[in-house]
Amino acid sequence: MAVQSNPDQLVGILRDTVVALVRRDGPDLSARQLGVFLTVYLTDGPHTVRGLAAELNVSKPAITRALDRLGELDLARRKVDPMDRRSVIVQRTLKGTAFLRDMRQIMSEAETQTHEMPAANEAANAEPARENRKAG
């Protein structure tokens, strides 16, 4: 049976994932770079700068800057569309696929920890409420 996560647990999983990504050796992506990366890897392509800008509701130069960084890290690459030389297609890379696999593992571990310790978290959250009732 699948365990349901509440919003606080989901935010905790996100925090634990981001902290683990920051602490490990490897790329440290901004929120925008991570958004572009995940969009390229988790949604059907082909992806273009124009399409990513529209999907993420940011400017094309912002997408270009994010892709510059992803390209430096070999997490994505740009290629001129052979069918329309004015368009640039964003492609996945082997290193990007490995990064996504690592990220999934980190998130899975964070989720497992969150669901293994719900009673401890609930008790910790209840403590301030009990203290406030005693004081009042």
Side-chain angles (χ1 to χ4, degrees), residues 69-105:
R69 179 70 175 140
L70 294 174
E72 290 170 9
L73 297 169
D74 194 30
L75 297 178
R77 76 172 55 94
R78 288 176 275 198
K79 179 182 173 190
V80 174
D81 184 349
M83 304 301 283
D84 180 358
R85 302 207 39 89
R86 298 169 296 170
S87 187
V88 174
I89 295 174
V90 180
Q91 297 180 316
R92 299 170 183 157
T93 65
L94 290 175
K95 190 170 179 183
T97 301
F99 180 73
L100 181 61
R101 183 187 61 239
D102 292 347
M103 194 171 159
R104 282 181 168 136
Q105 181 63 39

mmCIF file of all heavy atoms in Angstrom, residues 69-105:
data_model
loop_
_atom_site.group_PDB
_atom_site.id
_atom_site.type_symbol
_atom_site.label_atom_id
_atom_site.label_comp_id
_atom_site.label_asym_id
_atom_site.label_seq_id
_atom_site.Cartn_x
_atom_site.Cartn_y
_atom_site.Cartn_z
ATOM 1 N N ARG A 69 24.844 26.969 -18.579
ATOM 2 C CA ARG A 69 25.374 26.288 -17.390
ATOM 3 C C ARG A 69 25.202 24.774 -17.507
ATOM 4 O O ARG A 69 26.134 24.013 -17.205
ATOM 5 C CB ARG A 69 24.667 26.816 -16.138
ATOM 6 C CG ARG A 69 25.123 26.161 -14.863
ATOM 7 C CD ARG A 69 26.537 26.563 -14.484
ATOM 8 N NE ARG A 69 26.866 25.984 -13.189
ATOM 9 C CZ ARG A 69 28.036 25.461 -12.887
ATOM 10 N NH1 ARG A 69 29.011 25.479 -13.770
ATOM 11 N NH2 ARG A 69 28.256 24.962 -11.695
ATOM 12 N N LEU A 70 24.032 24.328 -17.948
ATOM 13 C CA LEU A 70 23.813 22.889 -18.118
ATOM 14 C C LEU A 70 24.775 22.317 -19.152
ATOM 15 O O LEU A 70 25.250 21.187 -19.001
ATOM 16 C CB LEU A 70 22.361 22.608 -18.508
ATOM 17 C CG LEU A 70 21.308 22.931 -17.436
ATOM 18 C CD1 LEU A 70 19.901 22.746 -18.001
ATOM 19 C CD2 LEU A 70 21.512 22.096 -16.183
ATOM 20 N N GLY A 71 25.086 23.097 -20.180
ATOM 21 C CA GLY A 71 26.048 22.669 -21.191
ATOM 22 C C GLY A 71 27.458 22.575 -20.623
ATOM 23 O O GLY A 71 28.193 21.626 -20.918
ATOM 24 N N GLU A 72 27.851 23.549 -19.792
ATOM 25 C CA GLU A 72 29.172 23.515 -19.147
ATOM 26 C C GLU A 72 29.333 22.254 -18.303
ATOM 27 O O GLU A 72 30.422 21.684 -18.216
ATOM 28 C CB GLU A 72 29.353 24.730 -18.229
ATOM 29 C CG GLU A 72 29.505 26.053 -18.934
ATOM 30 C CD GLU A 72 29.429 27.231 -17.966
ATOM 31 O OE1 GLU A 72 29.432 27.015 -16.730
ATOM 32 O OE2 GLU A 72 29.348 28.373 -18.450
ATOM 33 N N LEU A 73 28.242 21.836 -17.686
ATOM 34 C CA LEU A 73 28.268 20.659 -16.808
ATOM 35 C C LEU A 73 27.989 19.367 -17.572
ATOM 36 O O LEU A 73 27.971 18.290 -16.982
ATOM 37 C CB LEU A 73 27.221 20.829 -15.696
ATOM 38 C CG LEU A 73 27.448 22.009 -14.760
ATOM 39 C CD1 LEU A 73 26.225 22.240 -13.880
ATOM 40 C CD2 LEU A 73 28.698 21.793 -13.914
ATOM 41 N N ASP A 74 27.757 19.470 -18.865
ATOM 42 C CA ASP A 74 27.424 18.328 -19.734
ATOM 43 C C ASP A 74 26.150 17.617 -19.284
ATOM 44 O O ASP A 74 26.018 16.401 -19.398
ATOM 45 C CB ASP A 74 28.592 17.340 -19.842
ATOM 46 C CG ASP A 74 28.414 16.340 -20.985
ATOM 47 O OD1 ASP A 74 27.775 16.710 -22.001
ATOM 48 O OD2 ASP A 74 28.888 15.199 -20.852
ATOM 49 N N LEU A 75 25.188 18.388 -18.769
ATOM 50 C CA LEU A 75 23.904 17.825 -18.367
ATOM 51 C C LEU A 75 22.867 17.957 -19.477
ATOM 52 O O LEU A 75 21.821 17.303 -19.436
ATOM 53 C CB LEU A 75 23.400 18.508 -17.097
ATOM 54 C CG LEU A 75 24.285 18.328 -15.861
ATOM 55 C CD1 LEU A 75 23.710 19.081 -14.682
ATOM 56 C CD2 LEU A 75 24.485 16.857 -15.534
ATOM 57 N N ALA A 76 23.132 18.817 -20.443
ATOM 58 C CA ALA A 76 22.281 18.995 -21.623
ATOM 59 C C ALA A 76 23.145 19.621 -22.704
ATOM 60 O O ALA A 76 24.165 20.248 -22.418
ATOM 61 C CB ALA A 76 21.079 19.887 -21.308
ATOM 62 N N ARG A 77 22.719 19.444 -23.941
ATOM 63 C CA ARG A 77 23.456 20.083 -25.042
ATOM 64 C C ARG A 77 22.462 20.646 -26.033
ATOM 65 O O ARG A 77 21.326 20.188 -26.122
ATOM 66 C CB ARG A 77 24.436 19.124 -25.684
ATOM 67 C CG ARG A 77 23.833 18.093 -26.602
ATOM 68 C CD ARG A 77 24.885 17.277 -27.363
ATOM 69 N NE ARG A 77 25.847 16.638 -26.500
ATOM 70 C CZ ARG A 77 25.739 15.398 -26.050
ATOM 71 N NH1 ARG A 77 24.716 14.657 -26.381
ATOM 72 N NH2 ARG A 77 26.656 14.881 -25.275
ATOM 73 N N ARG A 78 22.912 21.654 -26.751
ATOM 74 C CA ARG A 78 22.082 22.268 -27.788
ATOM 75 C C ARG A 78 22.584 21.840 -29.152
ATOM 76 O O ARG A 78 23.782 21.687 -29.362
ATOM 77 C CB ARG A 78 22.130 23.783 -27.681
ATOM 78 C CG ARG A 78 21.367 24.298 -26.494
ATOM 79 C CD ARG A 78 21.510 25.778 -26.365
ATOM 80 N NE ARG A 78 22.748 26.039 -25.636
ATOM 81 C CZ ARG A 78 23.043 27.177 -25.052
ATOM 82 N NH1 ARG A 78 22.226 28.183 -25.135
ATOM 83 N NH2 ARG A 78 24.170 27.321 -24.404
ATOM 84 N N LYS A 79 21.629 21.659 -30.059
ATOM 85 C CA LYS A 79 21.954 21.262 -31.421
ATOM 86 C C LYS A 79 21.023 22.022 -32.357
ATOM 87 O O LYS A 79 19.824 22.151 -32.077
ATOM 88 C CB LYS A 79 21.749 19.754 -31.579
ATOM 89 C CG LYS A 79 22.028 19.239 -32.963
ATOM 90 C CD LYS A 79 21.750 17.751 -33.040
ATOM 91 C CE LYS A 79 21.864 17.289 -34.478
ATOM 92 N NZ LYS A 79 21.378 15.929 -34.643
ATOM 93 N N VAL A 80 21.570 22.514 -33.459
ATOM 94 C CA VAL A 80 20.747 23.198 -34.446
ATOM 95 C C VAL A 80 19.791 22.174 -35.055
ATOM 96 O O VAL A 80 20.194 21.066 -35.412
ATOM 97 C CB VAL A 80 21.618 23.859 -35.539
ATOM 98 C CG1 VAL A 80 20.757 24.437 -36.652
ATOM 99 C CG2 VAL A 80 22.506 24.922 -34.924
ATOM 100 N N ASP A 81 18.525 22.545 -35.142
ATOM 101 C CA ASP A 81 17.502 21.675 -35.729
ATOM 102 C C ASP A 81 17.775 21.537 -37.221
ATOM 103 O O ASP A 81 17.770 22.531 -37.944
ATOM 104 C CB ASP A 81 16.117 22.276 -35.494
ATOM 105 C CG ASP A 81 14.984 21.400 -35.981
ATOM 106 O OD1 ASP A 81 15.236 20.403 -36.692
ATOM 107 O OD2 ASP A 81 13.831 21.718 -35.642
ATOM 108 N N PRO A 82 18.040 20.330 -37.712
ATOM 109 C CA PRO A 82 18.344 20.158 -39.131
ATOM 110 C C PRO A 82 17.153 20.495 -40.035
ATOM 111 O O PRO A 82 17.335 20.847 -41.196
ATOM 112 C CB PRO A 82 18.726 18.680 -39.263
ATOM 113 C CG PRO A 82 18.221 18.026 -38.034
ATOM 114 C CD PRO A 82 18.102 19.070 -36.979
ATOM 115 N N MET A 83 15.939 20.447 -39.492
ATOM 116 C CA MET A 83 14.741 20.762 -40.274
ATOM 117 C C MET A 83 14.470 22.270 -40.333
ATOM 118 O O MET A 83 13.809 22.747 -41.246
ATOM 119 C CB MET A 83 13.512 20.052 -39.686
ATOM 120 C CG MET A 83 13.680 18.545 -39.586
ATOM 121 S SD MET A 83 14.008 17.764 -41.177
ATOM 122 C CE MET A 83 12.385 17.788 -41.852
ATOM 123 N N ASP A 84 14.940 23.007 -39.332
ATOM 124 C CA ASP A 84 14.742 24.457 -39.266
ATOM 125 C C ASP A 84 15.982 25.051 -38.607
ATOM 126 O O ASP A 84 16.081 25.104 -37.386
ATOM 127 C CB ASP A 84 13.489 24.791 -38.458
ATOM 128 C CG ASP A 84 13.239 26.288 -38.350
ATOM 129 O OD1 ASP A 84 14.056 27.089 -38.869
ATOM 130 O OD2 ASP A 84 12.228 26.669 -37.745
ATOM 131 N N ARG A 85 16.926 25.485 -39.400
ATOM 132 C CA ARG A 85 18.227 25.921 -38.894
ATOM 133 C C ARG A 85 18.131 27.141 -37.980
ATOM 134 O O ARG A 85 19.086 27.495 -37.306
ATOM 135 C CB ARG A 85 19.191 26.162 -40.052
ATOM 136 C CG ARG A 85 19.322 24.867 -40.875
ATOM 137 C CD ARG A 85 20.591 24.655 -41.610
ATOM 138 N NE ARG A 85 21.835 25.020 -41.022
ATOM 139 C CZ ARG A 85 22.580 24.224 -40.243
ATOM 140 N NH1 ARG A 85 22.150 23.034 -39.925
ATOM 141 N NH2 ARG A 85 23.735 24.625 -39.805
ATOM 142 N N ARG A 86 16.963 27.778 -37.908
ATOM 143 C CA ARG A 86 16.780 28.912 -36.994
ATOM 144 C C ARG A 86 16.475 28.436 -35.576
ATOM 145 O O ARG A 86 16.558 29.190 -34.623
ATOM 146 C CB ARG A 86 15.629 29.809 -37.460
ATOM 147 C CG ARG A 86 15.855 30.435 -38.822
ATOM 148 C CD ARG A 86 14.582 31.064 -39.317
ATOM 149 N NE ARG A 86 13.599 29.996 -39.500
ATOM 150 C CZ ARG A 86 12.315 30.176 -39.746
ATOM 151 N NH1 ARG A 86 11.830 31.385 -39.828
ATOM 152 N NH2 ARG A 86 11.510 29.160 -39.893
ATOM 153 N N SER A 87 16.111 27.174 -35.444
ATOM 154 C CA SER A 87 15.687 26.620 -34.166
ATOM 155 C C SER A 87 16.807 25.774 -33.553
ATOM 156 O O SER A 87 17.566 25.128 -34.265
ATOM 157 C CB SER A 87 14.439 25.762 -34.393
ATOM 158 O OG SER A 87 13.909 25.334 -33.168
ATOM 159 N N VAL A 88 16.866 25.786 -32.226
ATOM 160 C CA VAL A 88 17.862 25.005 -31.490
ATOM 161 C C VAL A 88 17.127 23.967 -30.654
ATOM 162 O O VAL A 88 16.195 24.289 -29.917
ATOM 163 C CB VAL A 88 18.715 25.918 -30.585
ATOM 164 C CG1 VAL A 88 19.653 25.098 -29.716
ATOM 165 C CG2 VAL A 88 19.494 26.919 -31.415
ATOM 166 N N ILE A 89 17.548 22.723 -30.784
ATOM 167 C CA ILE A 89 16.961 21.626 -30.015
ATOM 168 C C ILE A 89 17.858 21.338 -28.813
ATOM 169 O O ILE A 89 19.082 21.313 -28.932
ATOM 170 C CB ILE A 89 16.818 20.368 -30.891
ATOM 171 C CG1 ILE A 89 15.827 20.628 -32.027
ATOM 172 C CG2 ILE A 89 16.373 19.172 -30.062
ATOM 173 C CD1 ILE A 89 15.733 19.499 -33.025
ATOM 174 N N VAL A 90 17.234 21.121 -27.673
ATOM 175 C CA VAL A 90 17.963 20.777 -26.452
ATOM 176 C C VAL A 90 17.931 19.260 -26.312
ATOM 177 O O VAL A 90 16.871 18.639 -26.376
ATOM 178 C CB VAL A 90 17.329 21.451 -25.224
ATOM 179 C CG1 VAL A 90 18.092 21.089 -23.958
ATOM 180 C CG2 VAL A 90 17.274 22.962 -25.417
ATOM 181 N N GLN A 91 19.116 18.684 -26.118
ATOM 182 C CA GLN A 91 19.234 17.228 -26.027
ATOM 183 C C GLN A 91 19.714 16.797 -24.650
ATOM 184 O O GLN A 91 20.442 17.530 -23.975
ATOM 185 C CB GLN A 91 20.223 16.723 -27.078
ATOM 186 C CG GLN A 91 19.794 16.991 -28.500
ATOM 187 C CD GLN A 91 20.816 16.468 -29.490
ATOM 188 O OE1 GLN A 91 22.015 16.650 -29.305
ATOM 189 N NE2 GLN A 91 20.337 15.803 -30.530
ATOM 190 N N ARG A 92 19.338 15.595 -24.291
ATOM 191 C CA ARG A 92 19.811 14.981 -23.052
ATOM 192 C C ARG A 92 21.210 14.428 -23.274
ATOM 193 O O ARG A 92 21.620 14.193 -24.404
ATOM 194 C CB ARG A 92 18.869 13.845 -22.654
ATOM 195 C CG ARG A 92 17.460 14.321 -22.392
ATOM 196 C CD ARG A 92 16.516 13.156 -22.246
ATOM 197 N NE ARG A 92 15.163 13.647 -22.055
ATOM 198 C CZ ARG A 92 14.086 12.943 -22.321
ATOM 199 N NH1 ARG A 92 14.196 11.712 -22.781
ATOM 200 N NH2 ARG A 92 12.900 13.459 -22.116
ATOM 201 N N THR A 93 21.932 14.211 -22.176
ATOM 202 C CA THR A 93 23.272 13.636 -22.246
ATOM 203 C C THR A 93 23.354 12.436 -21.298
ATOM 204 O O THR A 93 22.501 12.269 -20.412
ATOM 205 C CB THR A 93 24.346 14.660 -21.828
ATOM 206 O OG1 THR A 93 24.149 14.984 -20.451
ATOM 207 C CG2 THR A 93 24.301 15.917 -22.685
ATOM 208 N N LEU A 94 24.380 11.635 -21.470
ATOM 209 C CA LEU A 94 24.596 10.509 -20.559
ATOM 210 C C LEU A 94 24.849 10.998 -19.136
ATOM 211 O O LEU A 94 24.342 10.428 -18.165
ATOM 212 C CB LEU A 94 25.759 9.641 -21.039
ATOM 213 C CG LEU A 94 25.498 8.827 -22.303
ATOM 214 C CD1 LEU A 94 26.771 8.112 -22.751
ATOM 215 C CD2 LEU A 94 24.384 7.811 -22.067
ATOM 216 N N LYS A 95 25.626 12.063 -19.006
ATOM 217 C CA LYS A 95 25.918 12.603 -17.678
ATOM 218 C C LYS A 95 24.642 13.157 -17.033
ATOM 219 O O LYS A 95 24.425 13.001 -15.830
ATOM 220 C CB LYS A 95 26.989 13.689 -17.774
ATOM 221 C CG LYS A 95 27.520 14.127 -16.432
ATOM 222 C CD LYS A 95 28.726 15.012 -16.583
ATOM 223 C CE LYS A 95 29.236 15.461 -15.228
ATOM 224 N NZ LYS A 95 30.369 16.373 -15.349
ATOM 225 N N GLY A 96 23.777 13.762 -17.828
ATOM 226 C CA GLY A 96 22.506 14.257 -17.312
ATOM 227 C C GLY A 96 21.597 13.134 -16.861
ATOM 228 O O GLY A 96 20.921 13.230 -15.829
ATOM 229 N N THR A 97 21.584 12.053 -17.623
ATOM 230 C CA THR A 97 20.783 10.888 -17.255
ATOM 231 C C THR A 97 21.283 10.303 -15.936
ATOM 232 O O THR A 97 20.486 9.922 -15.076
ATOM 233 C CB THR A 97 20.828 9.839 -18.384
ATOM 234 O OG1 THR A 97 20.313 10.440 -19.583
ATOM 235 C CG2 THR A 97 20.012 8.610 -18.044
ATOM 236 N N ALA A 98 22.587 10.259 -15.761
ATOM 237 C CA ALA A 98 23.172 9.766 -14.509
ATOM 238 C C ALA A 98 22.827 10.698 -13.346
ATOM 239 O O ALA A 98 22.516 10.240 -12.238
ATOM 240 C CB ALA A 98 24.685 9.624 -14.649
ATOM 241 N N PHE A 99 22.862 12.017 -13.587
ATOM 242 C CA PHE A 99 22.510 12.987 -12.555
ATOM 243 C C PHE A 99 21.057 12.799 -12.124
ATOM 244 O O PHE A 99 20.748 12.817 -10.928
ATOM 245 C CB PHE A 99 22.753 14.410 -13.073
ATOM 246 C CG PHE A 99 22.412 15.487 -12.085
ATOM 247 C CD1 PHE A 99 23.207 15.722 -10.985
ATOM 248 C CD2 PHE A 99 21.285 16.276 -12.271
ATOM 249 C CE1 PHE A 99 22.893 16.727 -10.072
ATOM 250 C CE2 PHE A 99 20.959 17.275 -11.368
ATOM 251 C CZ PHE A 99 21.768 17.498 -10.267
ATOM 252 N N LEU A 100 20.159 12.600 -13.084
ATOM 253 C CA LEU A 100 18.752 12.375 -12.765
ATOM 254 C C LEU A 100 18.578 11.085 -11.969
ATOM 255 O O LEU A 100 17.814 11.040 -10.999
ATOM 256 C CB LEU A 100 17.902 12.336 -14.036
ATOM 257 C CG LEU A 100 16.408 12.121 -13.826
ATOM 258 C CD1 LEU A 100 15.802 13.242 -12.990
ATOM 259 C CD2 LEU A 100 15.700 12.010 -15.173
ATOM 260 N N ARG A 101 19.292 10.043 -12.332
ATOM 261 C CA ARG A 101 19.231 8.778 -11.594
ATOM 262 C C ARG A 101 19.687 8.996 -10.145
ATOM 263 O O ARG A 101 19.037 8.533 -9.202
ATOM 264 C CB ARG A 101 20.108 7.726 -12.281
ATOM 265 C CG ARG A 101 20.043 6.353 -11.601
ATOM 266 C CD ARG A 101 21.040 5.362 -12.189
ATOM 267 N NE ARG A 101 22.397 5.856 -12.022
ATOM 268 C CZ ARG A 101 23.255 6.084 -13.027
ATOM 269 N NH1 ARG A 101 22.916 5.853 -14.279
ATOM 270 N NH2 ARG A 101 24.463 6.554 -12.784
ATOM 271 N N ASP A 102 20.782 9.734 -9.959
ATOM 272 C CA ASP A 102 21.284 10.024 -8.610
ATOM 273 C C ASP A 102 20.258 10.844 -7.821
ATOM 274 O O ASP A 102 20.034 10.598 -6.630
ATOM 275 C CB ASP A 102 22.603 10.783 -8.667
ATOM 276 C CG ASP A 102 23.743 9.945 -9.214
ATOM 277 O OD1 ASP A 102 23.598 8.707 -9.325
ATOM 278 O OD2 ASP A 102 24.792 10.546 -9.552
ATOM 279 N N MET A 103 19.650 11.798 -8.485
ATOM 280 C CA MET A 103 18.658 12.647 -7.838
ATOM 281 C C MET A 103 17.441 11.823 -7.403
ATOM 282 O O MET A 103 16.928 12.017 -6.292
ATOM 283 C CB MET A 103 18.233 13.754 -8.805
ATOM 284 C CG MET A 103 17.488 14.859 -8.161
ATOM 285 S SD MET A 103 17.301 16.163 -9.367
ATOM 286 C CE MET A 103 15.945 16.988 -8.637
ATOM 287 N N ARG A 104 17.018 10.903 -8.232
ATOM 288 C CA ARG A 104 15.905 10.020 -7.870
ATOM 289 C C ARG A 104 16.266 9.186 -6.639
ATOM 290 O O ARG A 104 15.429 8.983 -5.745
ATOM 291 C CB ARG A 104 15.561 9.098 -9.037
ATOM 292 C CG ARG A 104 14.763 9.763 -10.117
ATOM 293 C CD ARG A 104 14.436 8.777 -11.223
ATOM 294 N NE ARG A 104 13.439 9.324 -12.112
ATOM 295 C CZ ARG A 104 13.495 9.257 -13.433
ATOM 296 N NH1 ARG A 104 14.504 8.638 -14.035
ATOM 297 N NH2 ARG A 104 12.542 9.781 -14.167
ATOM 298 N N GLN A 105 17.488 8.698 -6.580
ATOM 299 C CA GLN A 105 17.937 7.893 -5.434
ATOM 300 C C GLN A 105 17.942 8.735 -4.157
ATOM 301 O O GLN A 105 17.475 8.284 -3.109
ATOM 302 C CB GLN A 105 19.334 7.320 -5.700
ATOM 303 C CG GLN A 105 19.872 6.460 -4.583
ATOM 304 C CD GLN A 105 19.044 5.212 -4.351
ATOM 305 O OE1 GLN A 105 18.570 4.594 -5.290
ATOM 306 N NE2 GLN A 105 18.841 4.861 -3.095
#
